[in-house]
Amino acid sequence: GSEVIRVVLSLRNGGVQVREHVLEVIVAAVNDMPSFTIPDSLAVVEGIGLSTIPAFATSISPGPPNEASQGVSFTLTSLTAGFFLSDPEIASDGELSFRTSLGMHGLVTVVARIHDSGMDAILDTTQLEATTSYFTIRVFPLPVVSSISPRLVPTAGRVTVTLRGQYFGSYYSRGYFAASYGDFAIYIGGDKCLNNAFLSDGEVTCEVPSGIGPSAVSFNVSDGALSRAGSLDAGIIHSLVIYGGVSADSETAGFIAVGPRRVAAGTLESPSASLSDANLALSRGVLALATLAGRLFVAGNFLTAAGVKAG
């Protein structure tokens, strides 16, 4: 705080005071810079919703004991735009919160600066350095399953398929270097794929279990709090029969249906089928069908197929 120093200078001639000078010196209070401590880095997964890290900032102090009544606050600035739906914030108790954007991943640097109620609006360079820290957030990508080959498999399964996509295993997608990456599982519907094999960051294989109809294919990375998954709806179709012909509500448009369906499968002699499972929006009726190595070949006098002009 402020202090007043009173200096009295007396001039005497013998025992008689001739003159007295009084000098008062006021020592004004100077605000000490607040301080805090934060980790250098942390890791999260893209698009997972609100992340909160209690006590991310510790040793938060507005200054010496005579400044204990001052309030503190934080200002955070991301050096890369687009990473966050909700920008990082640190509360006065040190809790960090933010919300990552879906589709944004990589390494982002965040500038954290502490303020107290006694600070000036404009700080000099030394004060800025004393109240500023930096940390990085590594945002891991979700695995992306783009395609499965073959897609059509028998209901008994036991067929090896290849999943292609991104972020199955690499330094960028896992955070460490390795010749081969494990700690993953592949699910066909709710059942685990067998004999998984890692080939590259964009390719893995596994042996399909038995099933009926279309099933989502999911690639799951096991990484504690950073566990993550990506899937492809109807990526695999376990089928016994494939129908093709002319739609009942159209005189010309063709259709393809795959059966049996997972729900209401029917019988072996009369299996159910679903247009939505493999409908290609054909402009003309289907004249012939063939499968080879899990691929479906369709013949007909088509003008368009799936919105694309037929050659």
Side-chain angles (χ1 to χ4, degrees), residues 1-4 25-31:
S2 300
E3 295 289 343
V4 176
V25 179
I26 300 176
V27 180
V30 176
N31 183 63

Side-chain angles (χ1 to χ4, degrees), residues 16 31 36 59 75 84 87 104 117 122 129 141 145 180 195 203 230 262 281 285 294:
V16 180
N31 183 63
F36 68 108
S59 303
T75 299
F84 304 101
D87 289 329
M104 293 294 293
S117 53
I122 301 176
E129 291 178 352
V145 182
S180 181
N195 301 320
E203 194 169 89
R262 182 178 292 271

Side-chain angles (χ1 to χ4, degrees), residues 114-263:
I114 190 172
H115 308 266
D116 67 32
S117 53
M119 291 172 62
D120 296 328
I122 301 176
L123 305 179
D124 61 32
T125 301
T126 301
Q127 292 171 325
L128 282 173
E129 291 178 352
T131 57
T132 301
S133 291
Y134 300 83
F135 66 96
T136 59
I137 301 177
R138 179 177 291 279
V139 183
F140 284 111
L142 294 172
V144 176
V145 182
S146 302
S147 65
I148 296 93
S149 179
R151 185 184 177 207
L152 291 173
V153 297
T155 55
R158 297 193 298 273
V159 173
T160 297
V161 297
T162 300
L163 280 68
R164 294 183 175 87
Q166 291 179 289
Y167 313 128
F168 297 152
S170 65
Y171 176 79
Y172 184 83
S173 61
R174 297 289 191 95
Y176 60 92
F177 290 105
S180 181
Y181 291 85
D183 298 323
F184 70 88
I186 301 170
Y187 289 88
I188 308 297
D191 299 321
K192 266 190 175 182
C193 224
L194 306 175
N195 301 320
N196 299 335
F198 175 86
L199 302 180
S200 70
D201 190 44
E203 194 169 89
V204 294
T205 64
C206 73
E207 185 179 302
V208 176
S210 61
I212 294 177
S215 299
V217 178
S218 175
F219 183 92
N220 298 53
V221 175
S222 178
D223 191 11
L226 299 175
S227 295
R228 48 204 181 270
S231 64
L232 180 65
D233 290 340
I236 286 285
I237 299 176
H238 290 85
S239 62
L240 283 175
V241 293
I242 302 172
Y243 298 85
V246 179
S247 299
D249 57 354
S250 172
E251 295 182 359
T252 57
F255 78 92
I256 296 174
V258 176
R261 296 167 59 193
R262 182 178 292 271
V263 179

Side-chain angles (χ1 to χ4, degrees), residues 51-62:
S51 296
T52 57
I53 298 93
F56 179 76
T58 56
S59 303
I60 301 171
S61 172

Side-chain angles (χ1 to χ4, degrees), residues 35 74 91 95 237 246 276:
S35 60
F74 293 88
E95 180 177 86
I237 299 176
V246 179
S276 61

